[in-house]
Amino acid sequence: MTTVHPAPSPSDQHDLELPAWWRQAVVYQVYPRSFADADGDGIGDIRGVTSRVPYLKELGIDAVWLSPFYPSALADGGYDVADYRDVDPRLGTLEDFDEMLRALHGAGIKVVVDIVPNHTSDQHEWFQEALAAGRGSAARARYIFRDGSGPDGSEPPADWESVFGGSAWERVADGQWYFHNFAVEQPDLDWSNPEVRADFVKTLRFWSDRGVDGFRIDVAHMLAKDFVDPLPSQAELDAMPRDGNHPMIDRDDVHEVYAEWREVFDSYDPPRTAVAEAWVEPSRIPLYARAESLGQAFNFDLLEADFDAAQFRRIVGDNLALAGKSGSSTTWVLSNHDVVRHATRYGLPDVERDDKGRPTRKHGNEWLLSGGVEPELDVARGLRRARAATLFVLGLPGSAYVYQGEELGLHEVAAIPDAERQDPTFFRSPGEDIGRDGCRVPLPWSAQGPSLGFGAGGAHLPQPAWFAEYAVSAEDGDPASTLSLYRDALALRRASQTGESLEWIDTGRDDVLGFRRPNGWTVFTNFGTEPFELPAGSDVSLSSGPVDGSRLPGETTAWIAGA
């Protein structure tokens, strides 16, 4: 047997009153515009979240992470922020936020809010001021403006492409160009500007003073930039190593920002937490997760993995080792607001991979482009595997992030009419990328009604008829439902929580993984299709599907009670 020991931790870190409540917490991601709509305008809102606090408490989560709820033109689903210290009027008021915070805290649930520091909305007062102020102004110095190329400056400063497709440069009325790594409505800030840094410290204190417990930092690896003229080409950028000196990705000097933020977080009692969305080389993840920086970083490897024992074991080992280097705990994520839901990914053919094992394309992209027709989705198998993967992940040391609706076993929605799509990726990458709308369709709370209980009106993205089968009302009280599985798993996880290590068990099969936690809690996952004989005397306390005596069926996970 092989023992994996990340950072040492007390066995009682599941106690949410400890400063380190986050180390092994289960965090539920709420995408507010698609969670619950209290005023019936078709858009989810803050009071909608408050109305569902009893549901969240019964689910058994430790914290809620709220995706952006700030004033926004919704050019990118709320990640184009017009005011970092207010609530979008369509979603409510600051008073509504305070009421929601009190309700969640009253239910024993922590609150993490999304901070989007790389860029603002083009509707932000700073950017509007920059447009009016003109070349060389202090207002423009908060952003990244450049003169164009060519004899008359009519060409972009460089041939760079934005993440959402198309040019990463946009020309303004006086002829200058501004940089936007994402949508054209999301101008990048210049983080070398002291005014930018000071304003975000003010924002962190604003929400911390209101009582939020932590922050999720959007694209944390992109803030610091060093654009030295002449600007390199896109091909040259792509070829540059990401070793801390890249002009715009994962620069070492970004940690000067986070060191300042850490001082802010630690000035509160208890300290505020933070988790980085950092798509960086694995060896550099500990820089973001260390105590001197943000304190924790997302592990996205399972978002790109097939339902495969070898891939899962490698990912677990690698990320527990990285957590040990940073002194943090790792994070486990199977679905979020940016990727195809894992119930659907696992029902599609495995993705092609390069010689380093990395996917050569986004999983499910061809299926989405076909409107969910080709290749054929095995709905039942996808859900069976999703349930098994979820139980595997919830048994691991570290924190687990659950995306709204996955506790219902929801699949991705592929058949959304073009006229009703919202994701800028769809509009800027026609025929290449359908975008992320399919995982952001409003939740089904009941099997009837114009928006399946989402609100009194319609839903801002169309819900398919089959959503009714997965509604909360349809699954509530059914012991075999995915919702019941999540409730049972989260309750048992809390009761079983122990030190942050595991010991691999030799199962004698490459397609079956087994591990034991320090208190004897044991997890077996059969990634294959042939049954696996559990060890003699195994007392199965929970399983992702029916277990026939001591025989663990294929694509099923079982938890064995510990001491």
Side-chain angles (χ1 to χ4, degrees):
M1 294 185 233
T2 304
T3 303
V4 179
H5 289 290
S9 62
S11 62
D12 60 352
Q13 282 184 339
H14 65 284
D15 184 343
L16 297 188
E17 296 308 311
L18 290 176
W21 65 266
W22 48 272
R23 294 191 67 96
Q24 299 201 70
V26 175
V27 183
Y28 185 92
Q29 182 189 356
V30 168
Y31 189 75
R33 289 170 173 81
S34 296
F35 186 67
D37 173 20
D39 62 11
D41 66 353
I43 299 176
D45 44 43
I46 298 298
R47 288 195 296 115
V49 177
T50 305
S51 73
R52 300 298 183 180
V53 169
Y55 170 83
L56 296 171
K57 182 177 182 180
E58 185 178 4
L59 185 58
I61 60 170
D62 299 316
V64 160
W65 153 30
L66 289 164
S67 290
F69 51 84
Y70 314 107
S72 172
L74 300 183
D76 182 24
Y79 283 87
D80 48 314
V81 179
D83 185 344
Y84 290 88
R85 297 188 285 274
D86 204 353
V87 174
D88 191 317
R90 290 165 293 187
L91 273 66
T93 64
L94 283 170
E95 290 71 25
D96 291 332
F97 180 90
D98 292 341
E99 181 183 354
M100 176 200 68
L101 194 64
R102 286 191 297 269
L104 286 166
H105 281 169
I109 298 172
K110 306 290 188 182
V111 177
V112 175
V113 299
D114 221 314
I115 294 293
V116 189
N118 179 71
H119 46 262
T120 72
S121 164
D122 61 355
Q123 301 303 305
H124 192 285
E125 63 177 1
W126 274 6
F127 193 73
Q128 291 299 305
E129 183 184 352
L131 293 180
R135 297 168 181 260
S137 63
R140 287 206 178 177
R142 299 172 182 140
Y143 294 90
I144 301 171
F145 278 85
R146 290 286 187 277
D147 291 331
S149 61
D152 57 357
S154 62
E155 296 296 322
D159 66 342
W160 298 351
E161 298 175 0
S162 81
V163 172
F164 291 154
S167 175
W169 297 91
E170 182 72 9
R171 199 176 193 191
V172 301
D174 63 13
Q176 276 204 310
W177 299 73
Y178 68 86
F179 176 70
H180 60 93
N181 203 42
F182 295 90
V184 67
E185 298 90 350
Q186 294 170 297
D188 279 44
L189 289 162
D190 185 343
W191 273 86
S192 68
N193 188 318
E195 191 175 1
V196 171
R197 295 194 180 195
D199 196 70
F200 271 87
V201 166
K202 184 177 180 180
T203 292
L204 295 174
R205 289 200 178 278
F206 177 87
W207 294 110
S208 295
D209 290 345
R210 297 193 93 85
V212 305
D213 303 283
F215 302 90
R216 178 263 188 187
I217 313 303
D218 188 62
V219 292
H221 59 298
M222 284 188 173
L223 273 59
K225 298 178 178 69
D226 184 21
F227 290 175
V228 178
D229 293 324
L231 298 176
S233 67
Q234 182 68 58
E236 290 169 329
L237 274 181
D238 292 343
M240 291 179 182
R242 299 185 180 183
D243 57 0
N245 297 297
H246 191 281
M248 71 174 76
I249 298 174
D250 186 28
R251 292 184 54 78
D252 286 337
D253 46 353
V254 76
H255 298 289
E256 297 173 9
V257 174
Y258 299 140
E260 183 178 14
W261 288 14
R262 175 47 56 192
E263 291 181 5
V264 174
F265 300 149
D266 288 349
S267 70
Y268 290 86
D269 184 18
R272 300 320 190 223
T273 67
V275 58
E277 182 202 26
W279 292 87
V280 299
E281 294 297 320
S283 64
R284 294 183 60 80
I285 289 176
L287 295 174
Y288 296 84
R290 58 188 170 169
E292 301 84 357
S293 186
L294 292 174
Q296 195 175 44
F298 277 116
N299 151 28
F300 295 121
D301 294 345
L302 290 176
L303 295 179
E304 297 182 336
D306 301 317
F307 186 78
D308 176 83
Q311 292 180 42
F312 270 57
R313 176 157 180 168
R314 175 186 57 77
I315 288 168
V316 170
D318 288 351
N319 284 282
L320 289 179
L322 289 172
K325 290 180 179 178
S326 68
S328 182
S329 65
T330 192
T331 59
W332 309 109
V333 188
L334 291 169
S335 285
N336 66 22
H337 64 295
D338 282 334
V339 300
V340 172
R341 289 183 177 275
H342 65 284
T344 295
R345 297 200 311 270
Y346 295 153
L348 294 170
D350 290 347
V351 68
E352 296 177 359
R353 298 182 178 275
D354 61 21
D355 55 2
K356 295 183 178 180
R358 297 172 301 195
T360 58
R361 53 185 171 78
K362 186 159 65 175
H363 204 161
N365 194 52
E366 289 81 1
W367 179 81
L368 287 171
L369 287 170
S370 75
V373 177
E374 293 291 341
E376 185 177 357
L377 171 66
D378 190 332
V379 174
R381 189 181 203 193
L383 180 56
R384 183 169 63 251
R385 287 175 158 188
R387 288 165 58 105
T390 294
L391 218 54
F392 177 91
V393 163
L394 290 178
L396 294 169
S399 58
Y401 281 74
V402 173
Y403 179 53
Q404 64 177 44
E406 73 169 76
E407 76 276 15
L408 304 175
L410 283 182
H411 279 273
E412 188 85 358
V413 179
I416 299 175
D418 290 357
E420 299 193 59
R421 289 196 173 274
Q422 301 172 8
D423 191 342
T425 305
F426 169 73
F427 300 103
R428 294 179 67 85
S429 305
E432 297 179 9
D433 195 328
I434 208 70
R436 301 158 293 176
D437 293 321
C439 62
R440 301 177 178 185
V441 175
L443 295 189
W445 292 94
S446 65
Q448 295 84 32
S451 64
L452 300 177
F454 171 66
H460 67 95
L461 283 168
Q463 300 160 305
W466 54 263
F467 250 38
E469 303 171 26
Y470 297 84
V472 172
S473 66
E475 297 195 20
D476 192 24
D478 177 1
S481 72
T482 302
L483 177 58
S484 291
L485 175 67
Y486 271 71
R487 287 172 174 167
D488 292 345
L490 296 187
L492 188 53
R493 172 188 166 97
R494 179 183 290 266
S496 305
Q497 201 54 270
T498 181
E500 292 178 41
S501 64
L502 63 76
E503 181 181 49
W504 290 110
I505 298 170
D506 183 4
T507 66
R509 281 178 47 176
D510 292 339
D511 59 353
V512 178
L513 295 183
F515 61 86
R516 182 179 295 111
R517 299 291 298 280
N519 61 356
W521 173 20
T522 307
V523 177
F524 287 95
T525 299
N526 186 348
F527 288 84
T529 56
E530 293 299 316
F532 170 74
E533 192 71 24
L534 292 168
S538 293
D539 178 15
V540 176
S541 53
L542 186 64
S543 61
S544 63
V547 174
D548 180 15
S550 62
R551 290 165 59 83
L552 182 66
E555 302 174 337
T556 304
T557 294
W559 286 2
I560 312 299

